[in-house]
Amino acid sequence: MALTVRERRTGARTRLLPPLGGDAPGLLLAAAGVAAALAVHAAVPAVPKLTAAVVLGMAAAHLPGLRPVVRGVARPGLSLAGKRLMRLGIVLLGLKLSLDDVLGLGWATVAMVLAVVAATFVGTLWLGRRLGLPGDQPLLVATGYSICGASAIGAVSQAAGSEEEDVAASVALVTLCGTLAIAVLPLLQHPLGLGGAEFGRWVGASVHDVGQVVATAQTGGAGALREAVLVKLMRVVLLAPLVAGVAVAVRRNQQWVKKNIGERTSKSSVKSDSRPPILPLFVAGFLAMIVLRTTGVLPERALTLAGDAQELLLAAALFGLGSAVHLPTMVRTGGRIALLGLGSWVMVAGVSYAGVLLTT
C-alpha cells in the first residue's frame, strides 16, 4: 500500500531521531541545549548561561524542524529536566550560602532584604490577581521577582503542583525582565547618586537571578559585585520558608475543599489528592547544604565543582521549561502578564532603592 506524503515525511523524521524511548530523547535534547547555552555565554559573556538556556528552549519549541520533536518524543525527558533536575540544582544552590556571610551583612541590611521580599511578593501577587492572570501565574511571578528568579519559580511550583504552562510563562517573563535589568540598572547608578557599594546592594536586592545579579553588578566594580552577591544570597535563604509557606497553604486549601465541597469536587478542581509535605525534600537538602557550607569542611575545589554542576543542572532545567512555552497562548494574556512584569519590576526596584538609602 502506497504511503502518503505526510506519512513518508513523518517516517523520515522519525528515522533521524535516536532509537531511544522514555526520557532519553528529551534529556539528550536538554544536554544539547545546555551546550548551546555555554557556547552563547562564551561568545557573549554579558549573556548569563541560564538566560541563554531558557531562550534557547523557547526557540526550540517554535522552530519548524524541532517543534514536532519537542512536543512529541522529547516531551517526557524535557519535563523531567524541568522538574527533577531543577530540584537537584536548588539543593546544590545551598552550597553558595554561608550563615556567616549572611549574618555579616548586619541586621539593618537583613531587615531591608526582608522588607523588599515581603513587599514585592505581596504586591505582585495582589496585582496579578487583580489583572486576572490564570492559574498559578501570579504566585509564580511574585516568587520569581521577590526571591531568585527561575530557581524560586521552580521550587514553589513543585510545592504548589503548578501546571507546566504556568511555570513556563512565569519563567519567560522573569527571565526577560532580569535580562533587561543587566542593561538598564547600570545606566541608573550615577543619576540615582549610588556609590559602588550602594549600587551593589540595590542590584542584589532587586535583580532576580543570581547570574543576572553578577552580570549587572560587575559594572560597578569589585566592591559592588561583593555587596550584590551577599544581598542576593540573603534573598535566596528566604526560599526555604517561602516554599514551606506555600506547601502549608496548599494543604489547607485541599482540606477546605474536601470539607466544604466533598465528593462533588471534580478531579479538575483539585490539582492533587496527595498532601504536599510542609518542607519538601529538596528544600531540606537546600538547607542541609547551607549548614554543610557553614562548617567549612568542604575544600574550595569541591565547592567549585558543585557550583559548576549546579549551573549545568539549572541550565538543563530551564531549557526544559523554556521548551514548554507556547507563544500563541502567552499572546492571549500578553498584555496582562507584561503589565504585571512591569509593575513588579518598578515595585522591587523602588522598594530596594528606598531600603538602600535608609540603611546606608
Side-chain angles (χ1 to χ4, degrees), residues 81-98:
K83 294 178 181 178
R84 299 293 178 85
L85 298 188
M86 175 68 77
R87 294 178 186 179
L88 291 174
I90 290 168
V91 170
L92 291 179
L93 183 62
L95 288 176
K96 291 182 178 291
L97 303 172
S98 168

Side-chain angles (χ1 to χ4, degrees), residues 188-195 198 353 357:
L188 299 177
Q189 177 183 356
H190 296 298
L192 294 177
L194 295 175
E198 291 80 11
Y353 179 66
L357 294 182

Side-chain angles (χ1 to χ4, degrees), residues 59-113:
H62 294 84
L63 288 175
L66 279 177
R67 184 170 54 208
V69 178
V70 169
R71 295 182 183 178
V73 68
R75 190 69 256 156
L78 291 171
S79 296
L80 177 69
K83 294 178 181 178
R84 299 293 178 85
L85 298 188
M86 175 68 77
R87 294 178 186 179
L88 291 174
I90 290 168
V91 170
L92 291 179
L93 183 62
L95 288 176
K96 291 182 178 291
L97 303 172
S98 168
L99 294 178
D100 295 334
D101 290 338
V102 174
L103 294 177
L105 290 171
W107 291 111
T109 302
V110 171
M112 182 267 287
V113 172

Side-chain angles (χ1 to χ4, degrees), residues 61-62 67 71 165 168-169 322-332:
H62 294 84
R67 184 170 54 208
R71 295 182 183 178
E165 291 79 5
S323 71
V325 173
H326 188 231
L327 291 179
T329 300
M330 287 192 67
V331 167
R332 287 195 286 270

Side-chain angles (χ1 to χ4, degrees), residues 14 54 62 91 94 99 103 119 147 165 192-193 196 236 250 260 266 292 294 317 324-325:
T14 303
V54 71
H62 294 84
V91 170
L99 294 178
L103 294 177
I147 303 291
E165 291 79 5
L192 294 177
V236 175
V250 171
N260 292 276
S266 65
L292 182 60
T294 304
V325 173

Side-chain angles (χ1 to χ4, degrees), residues 293-313:
R293 171 66 185 268
T294 304
T295 63
V297 299
L298 293 178
E300 193 63 33
R301 177 60 176 167
L303 293 175
T304 300
L305 290 175
D308 293 340
Q310 178 249 333
E311 280 206 331
L312 293 176
L313 288 168

Side-chain angles (χ1 to χ4, degrees), residues 8-146:
R8 286 197 297 271
R9 289 177 178 174
T10 304
R13 187 189 304 131
T14 303
R15 287 192 296 273
L16 291 176
L17 296 173
L20 300 171
D23 300 322
L27 292 175
L28 287 174
L29 183 58
V34 172
L38 294 177
V40 170
H41 176 70
V44 188
V47 179
K49 303 179 188 74
L50 302 186
T51 300
V54 71
V55 172
L56 288 170
M58 294 171 61
H62 294 84
L63 288 175
L66 279 177
R67 184 170 54 208
V69 178
V70 169
R71 295 182 183 178
V73 68
R75 190 69 256 156
L78 291 171
S79 296
L80 177 69
K83 294 178 181 178
R84 299 293 178 85
L85 298 188
M86 175 68 77
R87 294 178 186 179
L88 291 174
I90 290 168
V91 170
L92 291 179
L93 183 62
L95 288 176
K96 291 182 178 291
L97 303 172
S98 168
L99 294 178
D100 295 334
D101 290 338
V102 174
L103 294 177
L105 290 171
W107 291 111
T109 302
V110 171
M112 182 267 287
V113 172
L114 289 171
V116 169
V117 169
T120 304
F121 180 80
V122 173
T124 303
L125 184 60
W126 174 84
L127 180 59
R129 298 297 187 203
R130 293 282 295 178
L131 291 171
L133 288 175
D136 285 340
Q137 287 185 22
L139 170 65
L140 298 176
V141 172
T143 300
Y145 272 82
S146 61

